[in-house]
Structures are given as structure tokens and as C-alpha cells.
Amino acid sequence: MAEAARHDKTARQLRLLSDALDSGRLGPVKRLINTLSPAEIGNLLESLPPAKRKVVWGLVDPEDDGEVLVHVGEEVRESLIADMDEDELVAAATDLDIDDLADLVDDLPDKVIEEVLKSMDRENRKRLEQVLSYAEGTAGRLMNPDVVTVRADTTVDVVLRYLRLRGELPEHTDHLYVVNRRHRLIGWVALQDLVTHDPSTPINRLIDDNLTAIHVDEPAEDVARKFSDHDWISAPVVDDDNVLLGRITIDDVVDIIREQAEHQALSAAGLDEDEDLFSPVWRATRRRMLWLGINLATAFLAAGVVGQFEDTIHALTALAVLMPIVAGMGGNAGTQVLALMVRGLALGQVGASNIRTLLWKESRVALLNGLGLGLILALVVLLWFHDLGLALVITIALTCNLLFAALAGVLIPVTLKRLGYDPALASSIFLTTVTDVMGFFTFLGLATLLLLR
């Protein structure tokens, strides 16, 4: 419900913005933009064709430029950066938190990076270099090194006075981290405990040591899963020696979850989640050509199977009418299983310990659906072609193909995952090949054996 409301809001904003741009009145456009968050501005920019996008980008408050660049896809970001001069880029990057700057720095010109580094103090420069030293897609790359730490041998009063002197806290601070002299993590103290206990209370009495810290090399997907499982707002990041390096906050995790959803949806069609909706025709053509070429090759494989039964089809023309039903039903059934498996793999719910159980469960579902739908299809075929044998053949073929689809839907993504490939990207093409080839082979093979004797 909330997601649908957000989409409706975006569509309404886009309509108002487009109407204002078409009328040539930039005043209302700027007023609308100033009411939006950087993430909403980024979403709108991605929804606009290049000409309108350039106009709107020029009206965005310069103080929001950096945050907006962080919230758009890589291809759109490149086009926006191309419209900015070096001084604008330096100003935009300088205003960002370390973790957001780490996301942006790879897309900035070298000269701009040099100027940004010069503008930073020694401590923040060291923090940025530390974050950039970790691989993309890991907790180290996601973390913000700006954390508030306290010592266990102090009191609540001392900590509160320290916080007042500090003046401000990093965003989404719900805990202070307790470390020893070597900066190793001991536990954490909730802010609510600090304000509800007597000022003389020792910090070591408030420490929560039931703490699950995130290792700096942990994959981003696992980080998101832990946040979801524990309802965290923030979590500490440590190295092999349990030294506190930084923290990850819920806003970063929401971005991970959104990116994962986009990746699964677009990868299944062979697309990149960072692709611009309005990318140049030639670039989009080149990107999609490889995927479509692979599909063409597998289509020839299915066509080759059909060609082996040319005489059968010639003798029974009804087969040409009915065989797409068997292949299509298998493809749809397999896609359902595939979607469940890709999601299960992404969430860590599928592994060697439960593959056999999943295969057995999906096989039974396929057999029951095959028999139920096959009987309905048999009745239709009997009324249509008045051929009991043909009705029996298509029932058996449909049931068999649904079974093949279920087995392929389980085994293909698991196999690709074990081989180190992204199951969301490549599974669908293999699944379609299996259901088309086996659907045609089973249906036409059975018709040859049972109807042409």
C-alpha cells in the first residue's frame, strides 16, 4: 500500500513538473523542486527525457546537488555530472558524508577528486581513504567512519557533558559504542538509557554486550538481511581484531534493498539496473543485442526439435495449433518457481540442506497442477477436435512439461549460484530453453508414438 502511494505521488509530481516545463514557466518548477527531498528529486530526474532533465537539474538548489547525485543511477549520474563545472562538482562533493562520497568518487573527474581531498581535513581524508580501500558491495564500503565512542570507566554525567560539547550527533544515532583503549568494541549504550538514568550511573552498568557486530568484509546482501532480522537502526562495523571501524545506518540499508529489487527485476530481462530510462537508442540497442542474440540461439534449438517432427505435424495439423500451449504453460509454471528460488537465494533461505525438500515439494505441485489443468485442456481439445487420443497426449505432455519446469526452476538458479554466476541474470533464458524444448519434444514425441501407428 505504501509503495503504491509513493508511485502515485511520483506520477503526480512528474505530471505537474512536465506541465510546468511545457508552459515555459520555470518559477513553479523551482518551487516544486524545493519542496522535494534529494531522493525524490533524483527519482524525478530519472523520469524525465534528457532535454527536460537538463532544465530541472539547473534549478536544483546547489546544496542538494551532491545528495541528488548519490540517489540516481550511474548512467543518469554521468549525464548530470557532464553538465556541471569543476567548482560545482567540488562544492557538491564536499557537502557529502564520507560513505556517500565514497559512492560518488569513482564517477568524478580526477581533478575534482584532487580538489575535494585538498578541501578535507586530515582526519576525514584518512576516513575516506579507509572506506575506499574496501571492495564494493561490502560492509566496509557502506559504513560511515563517523561514530561516537565512549569509555566504560566513565559516568552518564561525563558522557552527557561530552555530547553537549560535541554539539551534534551523526544522523540515525541511536547508540553510543563503548570501546577500550585499543578501540576494540566492548558493547553499546542506548541513548534512551543515558537520559533516563541517574547522572552518576557508571557506563559499564548500562552496556549491552549482546551485540552482533558486522564484519568489514561482509557482503551488502547479508548486512541488509541482518538489519531486517534485528530491526536495527544502526550497527557497528569491526575488523578481524574487533576494532571498531565505523557504522552502517538504516538509510544505507534501504538503498541496498531497493537496488536488490531493481537488480532482480531487470536482470531477469538482461538489463542493467543503472540503465537510463531515456538512454540513447544506439547504446540501448547495443546492450540488449547480446541478450536477444542468446535468446535467438535458444529459439533455433527449440525450432530444431519441432523440425524433427515435421511429418507428424503435417499429418496432424491440430498439433501446430496446440503445441504452443504446452510450451507456454511450462514457461509460466517455471517462472513462478524461478521467482521463488531467486528470492530464496537472495535472502539466504535456500541451500544444500533444503534443496531435496524443495525439489520434492515443487515436483508434487507440478504434478497436481499438470493433472488438473491437463484434464481441463483435454476436455477443451476433445470438444474442439473430437479426438480422444489427442486429448490424452496433450494431458500427459502438459503434466510432464510442468514437471520439467519445476525441476529446472529449482536446479538452474542453484547451479548458477554455485558456479559463481548471478541467478537473477541468467536463469530465465535457460528455463525458457528447457520448457520450450521439452514441451515440444514431449508433445510431438507422444503424438508420433500414440497417434501415428
Side-chain angles (χ1 to χ4, degrees), residues 107-426:
D107 296 316
L108 297 176
D110 291 340
K111 191 171 182 179
V112 171
I113 296 174
E114 291 177 10
E115 292 298 321
V116 171
L117 291 175
K118 288 179 183 178
S119 68
M120 301 171 71
D121 58 41
R122 182 178 178 182
E123 183 181 2
N124 280 328
R125 192 182 307 120
K126 185 177 179 181
R127 287 175 172 177
L128 177 61
E129 291 171 351
Q130 179 189 17
V131 172
L132 291 175
S133 69
Y134 300 109
E136 286 195 36
T138 62
R141 199 61 179 264
L142 290 169
M143 73 177 183
N144 189 335
D146 186 14
V147 293
V148 181
T149 61
V150 296
R151 299 287 290 277
D153 56 359
T154 58
T155 64
V156 168
D157 181 53
V158 172
V159 172
L160 290 177
R161 281 191 282 117
Y162 163 67
L163 295 180
R164 284 192 289 269
L165 286 173
R166 201 177 193 276
E168 62 180 2
L169 294 175
E171 289 186 1
H172 305 293
T173 296
D174 57 333
H175 293 85
L176 305 184
Y177 299 113
V178 185
V179 296
N180 62 16
R181 293 182 184 277
R182 296 185 178 182
H183 211 66
R184 288 178 176 169
L185 186 63
I186 298 174
W188 54 11
V189 176
L191 286 181
Q192 63 183 20
D193 289 338
L194 289 176
V195 299
T196 56
H197 281 77
D198 188 272
S200 62
T201 304
I203 290 297
N204 56 22
R205 285 180 50 189
L206 303 180
I207 294 176
D208 180 359
D209 55 6
N210 294 320
L211 176 64
T212 305
I214 295 172
H215 190 271
V216 69
D217 293 325
E218 197 160 338
E221 294 81 1
D222 294 343
V223 172
R225 190 179 308 120
K226 285 185 176 180
F227 266 76
S228 176
D229 291 342
H230 298 286
D231 292 328
W232 287 337
I233 294 176
S234 66
V237 180
V238 298
D239 63 10
D240 292 334
D241 296 322
N242 204 41
V243 173
L244 179 64
L245 301 175
R247 68 187 187 117
I248 295 174
T249 54
I250 186 63
D251 56 328
D252 298 314
V253 174
V254 170
D255 290 338
I256 296 170
I257 295 171
R258 177 177 56 81
E259 289 167 5
Q260 286 177 337
E262 291 176 356
H263 174 74
Q264 289 185 15
L266 294 176
S267 292
L271 299 175
D272 187 341
E273 65 266 28
D274 285 321
E275 182 173 345
D276 185 357
L277 187 64
F278 298 97
S279 61
V281 172
W282 174 243
R283 182 185 297 177
T285 302
R286 188 176 68 250
R287 284 179 170 175
R288 300 178 195 182
M289 184 69 73
L290 175 62
W291 186 259
L292 293 174
I294 295 173
N295 273 271
L296 180 61
T298 60
F300 275 116
L301 181 60
V305 172
V306 174
Q308 297 299 312
F309 297 96
E310 186 176 351
D311 293 339
T312 302
I313 297 172
H314 183 73
L316 295 170
T317 55
L319 298 176
V321 177
L322 297 174
M323 65 183 186
I325 297 176
V326 177
M329 289 293 292
N332 290 333
T335 299
Q336 291 176 333
V337 179
L338 187 63
L340 290 173
M341 290 298 299
V342 170
R343 186 191 68 174
L345 287 168
L347 296 176
Q349 298 172 340
V350 175
S353 62
N354 58 11
I355 288 298
R356 289 187 179 181
T357 304
L358 285 169
L359 281 170
W360 177 232
K361 175 250 183 177
E362 292 299 338
S363 297
R364 286 180 292 167
V365 171
L367 287 172
L368 290 174
N369 277 332
L371 291 172
L373 294 172
L375 290 174
I376 296 173
L377 183 57
L379 180 61
V380 173
V381 169
L382 190 60
L383 294 174
W384 190 355
F385 296 101
H386 307 290
D387 189 329
L388 181 60
L390 183 59
L392 177 63
V393 164
I394 200 168
T395 299
I396 298 173
L398 180 64
T399 303
C400 290
N401 202 30
L402 291 188
L403 181 59
F404 288 130
L407 296 176
V410 172
L411 294 176
I412 287 174
V414 170
T415 302
L416 289 173
K417 181 79 170 179
R418 288 183 178 176
L419 293 175
Y421 296 100
D422 183 358
L425 178 61

Side-chain angles (χ1 to χ4, degrees), residues 45-61:
L45 287 171
E46 290 184 328
S47 306
L48 292 169
K52 291 183 178 180
R53 181 185 296 160
K54 187 173 182 178
V55 174
V56 172
W57 180 231
L59 298 175
V60 174
D61 189 332

